[in-house]
Amino acid sequence: MPLQLPKSSWNTTELEDLRELARSFLQKEAVPHQERWAAEKKVDRELWTKAGEVGLLCLSIPEEYGGGGGTFAHEAVLYEEQARAGDSAWGVTVHNGIVAHYLLAYASEEKKRAWLPKLASGELVGAIAMTEPGTGSDLQGIKTRAVRDGDHYVLNGAKTFITNGFHADLVVVACKTDPDAGAQGVSLIVVETDTPGFRRGRILDKVGMKGQDTAELFFDDVRVPAGNLLGDAEGQGFVQLMLQLPQERLIIAVTAVAGLEAAVDLTLAYTKERTAFGRPIFSFQNTKFTLAEAATETAVARAFLDQCIERHLKGELDVQGAAMAKLWTTERVNKVIDDCVQLFGGYGYMTEYPIARAWADVRISRIFGGTSEIMKEIISRSL
């Protein structure tokens, strides 16, 4: 019997219909291919167009731009089902919840109408390039440079750890338009990857999330139209990033809590079926106490996440609240899944078991989107 938690307060009948669509799509198009995608370090390109055909891309983008016209709740349902399906390969959270929203918020009307419908159909795959080989959490320290040259910007630099980097057709690039202005010198410029001078490096070999095409990107005198600048002036990039990062961190919290729920369900089923010393593993006090604690941590994380989603739907989730959500849920999911692996014993370390893959996949959650240490720094500023 799976873990029984109250229905999320933001859930609706319409969302349950979407949940069923997302679940069936993932079971058909993602679950059977996990091992192959992990070996190839990328998903199939046609996965994106198939998702576009059934309406799973750009769920929270207005219909006038080809999107689903929904809210963050629609996105959350898709991300939950992806986590519960055990798929960490498809970079839809970045495409839907991050890249599309940078364009919606800051691109010109002309560019929105050019790019967003193609993101919604899967014709274009989106990525965002912030991290550099020598710069992690310190976005003010980025070296990628964009120099204005008439009606164009000329970009030079390198980015790493870029989700969807191999398939990306459109990359939102954080760069310096004024290298002497600190945070005020950061701008966001959209690069179409068929532009001369853009090239992809290797797909990186990661500990977990092995099927996700995380790549290096290089910009060598890449000329892009000045109209690809996001915002109405240079130097707005850092503020734009700060305004959008709360949603990115909430997305990470959504996947963390869904991962918690899935891990506890897997472990409950395993410990009730597996026997040791002539009785089910679940009957041992250590197992029951470990799972009792895991179930409680999962319930608390779910309640806090639901509160944060409600606040976000009302436009009330602040930077500190999103940081708390990311910090708490990612720390919990790492602890609980580690405890679950222990209950699986040696089988918990075998990659054919979903719990082992989940254990490797979730470790990055304490790092990407801002490390746990950065989250604590952000939270402390409000105290």
Side-chain angles (χ1 to χ4, degrees):
M1 186 177 184
L3 186 65
Q4 299 295 305
L5 295 176
K7 183 178 178 181
S8 295
S9 52
W10 48 270
N11 221 338
T12 64
T13 302
E14 177 202 358
L15 291 175
E16 284 304 312
D17 292 340
L18 173 62
R19 189 179 299 282
E20 185 55 42
L21 170 65
R23 186 180 298 136
S24 60
F25 178 84
L26 289 158
Q27 287 297 324
K28 179 183 177 183
E29 303 293 349
V31 172
H33 308 296
Q34 292 299 304
E35 289 186 16
R36 178 171 60 82
W37 288 348
E40 296 175 357
K41 301 181 186 176
K42 63 182 187 298
V43 301
D44 300 328
R45 179 60 180 83
E46 55 265 32
L47 176 67
W48 292 97
T49 49
K50 288 178 179 178
E53 288 169 4
V54 299
L56 290 176
L57 297 183
C58 298
L59 289 164
S60 55
I61 297 299
E63 291 180 14
E64 64 180 297
Y65 300 117
T71 68
F72 181 80
H74 294 77
E75 302 286 2
V77 165
L78 173 59
Y79 308 152
E80 285 180 346
E81 290 309 310
Q82 183 185 19
R84 288 173 182 148
D87 171 50
S88 61
W90 185 28
V92 70
T93 56
V94 170
H95 179 98
N96 273 20
I98 300 173
V99 175
H101 280 271
Y102 275 97
L103 302 183
L104 180 67
Y106 308 120
S108 68
E109 187 65 22
E110 176 189 358
K111 296 297 184 182
K112 286 182 206 177
R113 295 193 180 278
W115 291 330
L116 286 172
K118 292 181 179 180
L119 287 174
S121 69
E123 181 180 343
L124 296 179
V125 174
I128 184 164
M130 292 188 279
T131 305
E132 298 184 355
T135 306
S137 298
D138 180 16
L139 293 175
Q140 297 184 51
I142 59 176
K143 304 296 184 187
T144 298
R145 190 74 206 282
V147 178
R148 184 70 181 258
D149 181 21
D151 293 333
H152 289 77
Y153 283 99
V154 180
L155 270 72
N156 283 280
K159 299 289 183 178
T160 193
F161 309 146
I162 308 306
T163 300
N164 296 340
F166 180 83
H167 284 310
D169 304 288
L170 211 62
V171 184
V172 177
V173 181
C175 55
K176 282 289 185 73
T177 44
D178 184 347
D180 301 318
Q184 285 69 44
V186 176
S187 297
L188 300 182
I189 295 177
V190 179
V191 174
E192 295 172 284
T193 59
D194 58 358
T195 307
F198 171 84
R199 58 190 172 91
R200 307 174 207 270
R202 62 197 173 106
I203 302 179
L204 301 169
D205 188 14
K206 306 182 296 297
V207 171
M209 305 184 92
K210 287 186 171 290
Q212 191 180 98
D213 60 324
T214 308
E216 301 170 318
L217 305 179
F218 298 96
F219 307 87
D220 303 316
D221 290 328
V222 177
R223 293 181 63 86
V224 299
N228 287 22
L229 175 74
L230 295 185
D232 53 17
E234 294 179 3
Q236 297 178 352
F238 197 79
V239 172
Q240 292 165 346
L241 289 165
M242 293 305 103
L243 289 172
Q244 293 295 319
L245 277 170
Q247 175 155 306
E248 178 179 348
R249 288 165 181 159
L250 185 58
I251 288 169
I252 295 170
V254 168
T255 60
V257 173
L260 270 170
E261 293 167 347
V264 173
D265 283 349
L266 282 170
T267 311
L268 281 169
Y270 179 82
T271 57
K272 289 179 178 181
E273 293 168 1
R274 180 84 175 173
T275 60
F277 304 103
R279 56 189 176 124
I281 294 173
F282 184 80
S283 67
F284 291 94
Q285 187 183 66
N286 178 70
T287 305
K288 289 189 284 190
F289 281 14
T290 298
L291 285 169
E293 185 175 333
T296 303
E297 297 221 44
T298 302
V300 172
R302 167 55 67 184
F304 181 41
L305 173 67
D306 286 347
Q307 180 196 97
C308 289
I309 290 174
E310 287 180 0
R311 290 172 63 195
H312 190 52
L313 291 171
K314 296 175 184 175
E316 298 173 357
L317 183 65
D318 57 14
V319 171
Q320 287 78 19
M324 287 180 176
K326 184 193 183 284
L327 173 66
W328 183 258
T329 59
T330 58
E331 291 290 333
R332 293 309 94 198
V333 73
N334 274 271
K335 175 189 178 297
V336 168
I337 290 184
D338 192 72
D339 289 343
C340 289
V341 166
Q342 192 72 16
L343 293 177
F344 272 79
Y347 290 106
Y349 206 61
M350 300 297 108
T351 54
E352 64 261 32
Y353 277 72
I355 197 68
R357 296 195 297 272
W359 179 73
D361 289 344
V362 300
R363 184 57 183 84
I364 190 61
S365 67
R366 294 169 57 203
I367 298 173
F368 65 12
T371 64
S372 290
E373 291 73 26
I374 293 293
M375 295 305 99
K376 292 174 187 177
E377 177 66 26
I378 291 169
I379 295 162
S380 71
R381 294 172 189 166
S382 68
L383 302 181

